[in-house]
Amino acid sequence: MSAGWRTLLLRIGDRCPEYSGSADHKEHIETCYAVISREYEHSRDAVFEFLLQCAEQLPHKIPFFGVLIGLMNLENEDFAKDIVDTTQAKLQDALHNENRDRIRILLRFLSGLMCSKVVVPNSIIETFETLLSSAATILDEETGNPSWQPRADFYVYCILASLPWGGPELFEQVPDEFERVLVGIQSYISIRRHFDDIAFSVFETDEGHSPNKKDFMEDLWERIQILSRSGWKVKSVPKPHLPFEAQLVAGKSHRLSPISCPPPNLSQTSSEILKGQEKHEADLKYPQRLRRLHIFPTNQAENMQPVDRFVVEECILDVLLFFNGCRKECAFYLVSLPVSFRYEYLMAETIFSQLLLLPNPPFRPIYYTLVIIDLCKALPGAFPSVVVGAVHVLFDRISNMDMECRTRLILWFSHHLSNFQFIWPWQEWSYVKDLPKWAPQRVFVQEVLEREIRLSYFEKIKQSIEDAAELEELLPPKAGPNFKFLSNESTENTDGHKLSKELFGMVRGKKSIRDIILWVEEHVIPTNGAEFALDVVSQTLLDIGSKSFTHLITVLERYGQIISKLCPNEEMQLLLMDEVSAYWKNSTQMTAIAIDRMMGYRLISNLAIVKWVFSPANVEQFHVSDRPWEILRNAVSKTYNRISDLRKEIQSLKKGLQVAKEVSAKAIKELEEAKSVLEIVEGQPAPAERPGRLRRLQVHADKAKTEEVTMEESLEAKGALLARALEESKELLKLLFKRFVDVLTERLPTVSADGEIPNLRAGYQNVNFAARDLETATMEIDNENGADKNSEPNGQNTKNGYSVGELEQWCLCTLGYLKSFSRQYATEIWSHIAMLDEEVFVGDIHPLIRKAAFSGLCRFTNEGSIYDPWSSSLC
């Protein structure tokens, strides 16, 4: 029985076997209430805790749980009062701990309890007004801190988000007080600063419309106003309390104790940098939960009221939140939301919006991949076609997509196809073969195929595109090593081949590292030089480790010292990466893995990797391949992951040291107390304790002190490592941005004499460039078939051409990655922004470079323009 009532609570509102397949909500509640009432008699605490847990983790079913509590309130007022008091205490705790999800859901739960006559409506009004007052205080220049507007927005958002669930009841029960709250919200919306989220826009061209576009709060307020004008009629929120209203009204409504919000974080500075850091911290703590993609046209997606769309989006996000890690359960609840209309298109849009959410998705991208796969299996007749439609729309707009989002889409799509036998109508995209090699659609297909090969094998992927044989041209070379010293009759007598063969024999003969290093220093370097020695050693060791990832790691672990000896400086490390790239020229994956592992074993520095990625040969690939960017992402990510790991280790050591100190102090105290107890033996004072116990106490005290000293030494060592890592990260950021500025300055078209910033998407083929003139190429759009060039976004993607020249596309890609790195590592960059302003973003930096770097940091003036620390004018 105990398992049965829990299952009934979890499945209430679902068409499922537990309720005999019935969809009648009244019947569900009556059945569940009867079982819970019996269980309550001998398991009060269990019922109490589980009911609250369900309300918090299945928030889309709050109306059902509210009715159950309302019915129990009729029989046991104390139980309902305890529910209200506990919820209020949890809400208060969540406000002070800044637990965003719990605040939002508990407000919804209280609204649901009010609908079931468990909570007095005026208590809800008072709670709303407390939040509104705190939000207004935060925006006040004197008593608050406008940099923390994200917190104020969040408080008001929580009120607005609960109105579809409780607004109709408030409108009916306390209309005047409710109107006062709505006026307060309107007043807040009018004084808050509009948030322009161009830094987090999935599509770059959204920037052009941003000044006239409503931000998330303005949009939500408009939806609530539409709901108000329609008489507070919401289709998406179930109303199971209505059939029980005559019963529920007889119960006692309980008052909610007042809540208090934490005081605003007062600003102690007028410094632009420190204010920027404060705003960044606020954005991290109170991020925007959803940024809509609007993938499907309105005539294709489900037709629903604006507020219904918002409610269903919230329910989908709640399920994704509470069932991450439980993909099957997540898919089950996603397809069985208690709404009376279909929502497959909205569900797809919402999940893709989370997958592509900037700066980071709430969960690892693999989670969304698995959920989409399970939804395709749960709704085989509907959802797969929706996903296909979404992919086609995103593919059509790929040229305007943010570079980070483009990478995520490539990784998701290749993984998704690997779960469906790599089946896709490739013939519909076969036209990309005729596009320029830099066209984003062509690059997208090329990168997807390369990632698919990583997940399968060359022949399998080649077979999967046999219906679009033209695309075989976009397949990467068949993976395999390119060993420079491969033996054959014509070359085996060269010095390189002989030395490589000799080294191979030494490795097979298990010669010691010292013997091999001596052989290199005495027989290779004197005759052929250090560069040639590196060539032979690196190529040979890579070939020995070429069979698998494990072989490679084993070789680097065993023989890394030899490579380290040959690469004492960045110049030699650059040559080493050239050798790796040459050996694995047919495998982007193995190149990236080898360089990443070498950095992990400190054979290559992160600074050397940055310099290598920005070498001329790699720079030429920036717009046509992800190869250099993958290596750069790995290097920067590994640098900051190491810092994060060190900080966690230091935090753990500090806790351990505190415990060790307490143990040591206690042991010393026990020893001293034992020694202080004396007795008179033959007229002389002597320790009363037995010698054996004193020795044990002494050993214990010595051991505890040793442990304390060891912990202190470990903490000091880790602190030194962290200081070194932080200094390295500072140098890394400086070098990274300096290289971005250098290569972009060489290639970006100059600003006109009247200050007009060039439009790269319009194509600038006849411009004199600062340092060098790369060959550009354009393809005219063929409109003979009557297609309007504006039928595609910006008229850039057509099935016959791509209108942006190669140089312009290179600039767009590189600026996109600059923005991506700025956004991804904004926290680290803000801590060094003064140094970057002085040493990198100095002088007459091209406005497009400044815009990309600073928009990624959300570094704007109060007027919304890009901040320029070196000019009184604005970018």
Side-chain angles (χ1 to χ4, degrees), residues 4 10 63 65 68 118 160 271 286 338 431 490 552 569 799 804 830:
L10 289 172
F65 303 134
L68 287 173
V118 177
L160 293 173
S271 162
Y286 295 92
Y431 67 89
S490 61
L552 173 64
N569 53 49
K799 295 191 176 182
V804 176
W830 271 112

Side-chain angles (χ1 to χ4, degrees), residues 421-631:
Q421 301 179 331
F422 299 100
I423 295 173
W424 183 256
W426 290 108
Q427 62 274 17
E428 295 179 15
W429 290 353
S430 60
Y431 67 89
V432 303
K433 182 191 76 70
D434 298 321
L435 295 178
K437 66 178 181 179
W438 60 87
Q441 288 187 335
R442 177 186 170 113
V443 174
F444 177 83
V445 173
Q446 169 187 301
E447 294 297 328
V448 168
L449 292 174
E450 194 273 330
R451 290 284 176 171
E452 283 188 337
I453 290 173
R454 296 192 192 190
L455 298 169
S456 183
Y457 54 96
F458 184 87
E459 288 76 11
K460 173 71 175 177
I461 304 308
K462 183 177 180 181
Q463 182 184 0
S464 72
I465 60 171
E466 59 185 5
D467 291 339
E470 306 96 322
L471 296 180
E472 288 185 15
E473 182 183 318
L474 303 188
L475 288 171
K478 192 170 182 179
N482 180 42
F483 186 33
K484 186 181 295 186
F485 302 112
L486 188 65
S487 295
N488 57 59
E489 292 181 1
S490 61
T491 61
E492 61 183 6
N493 291 323
T494 65
D495 288 346
H497 286 78
K498 290 178 181 177
L499 292 169
S500 174
K501 189 174 182 181
E502 189 173 348
L503 175 58
F504 194 90
M506 295 175 74
V507 172
R508 278 202 165 178
K510 301 191 183 301
K511 291 286 187 181
S512 69
I513 303 298
R514 178 175 176 77
D515 288 343
I516 297 177
I517 290 176
L518 285 173
W519 173 77
V520 171
E521 291 177 341
E522 294 176 1
H523 295 88
V524 184
I525 295 177
T527 307
N528 300 283
E531 291 185 13
F532 185 81
L534 176 62
D535 188 11
V536 170
V537 170
S538 60
Q539 285 272 328
T540 305
L541 292 180
L542 285 171
D543 196 56
I544 293 170
S546 64
K547 290 184 179 179
S548 68
F549 303 147
T550 308
H551 282 77
L552 173 64
I553 292 170
T554 301
V555 165
L556 292 178
E557 284 179 348
R558 290 181 182 173
Y559 303 104
Q561 291 180 43
I562 306 171
I563 298 175
S564 180
K565 193 78 174 177
L566 289 168
C567 299
N569 53 49
E570 285 183 0
E571 182 181 353
M572 295 302 289
Q573 291 172 16
L574 292 173
L575 292 175
L576 173 60
M577 284 182 277
D578 284 338
E579 294 296 338
V580 173
S581 182
Y583 184 85
W584 287 115
K585 72 174 186 178
N586 294 331
S587 177
T588 298
Q589 182 181 23
M590 287 304 300
T591 302
I593 288 174
I595 292 176
D596 181 70
R597 289 291 83 207
M598 287 179 175
M599 179 182 166
Y601 292 123
R602 295 195 170 274
L603 306 178
I604 299 174
S605 72
N606 50 15
L607 299 180
I609 293 176
V610 171
K611 290 180 180 179
W612 183 78
V613 167
F614 283 91
S615 63
N618 286 316
V619 166
E620 298 298 330
Q621 300 296 310
F622 277 7
H623 58 315
V624 295
S625 173
D626 189 53
R627 186 183 183 114
W629 297 116
E630 181 181 1
I631 293 168

Side-chain angles (χ1 to χ4, degrees), residues 132-188:
L132 268 174
S133 174
S134 179
T137 302
I138 290 170
L139 295 192
D140 189 274
E141 292 279 358
E142 296 181 359
T143 60
N145 183 355
S147 294
W148 279 83
Q149 179 179 308
R151 178 196 279 178
D153 280 354
F154 173 74
Y155 287 167
V156 179
Y157 154 74
C158 286
I159 297 172
L160 293 173
S162 65
L163 293 185
W165 305 81
E169 194 73 16
L170 291 171
F171 177 69
E172 181 181 330
Q173 298 292 323
V174 284
D176 294 339
E177 293 84 350
F178 187 39
E179 180 63 26
R180 190 171 69 229
V181 169
L182 295 178
V183 170
I185 295 173
Q186 177 64 67
S187 174
Y188 173 82

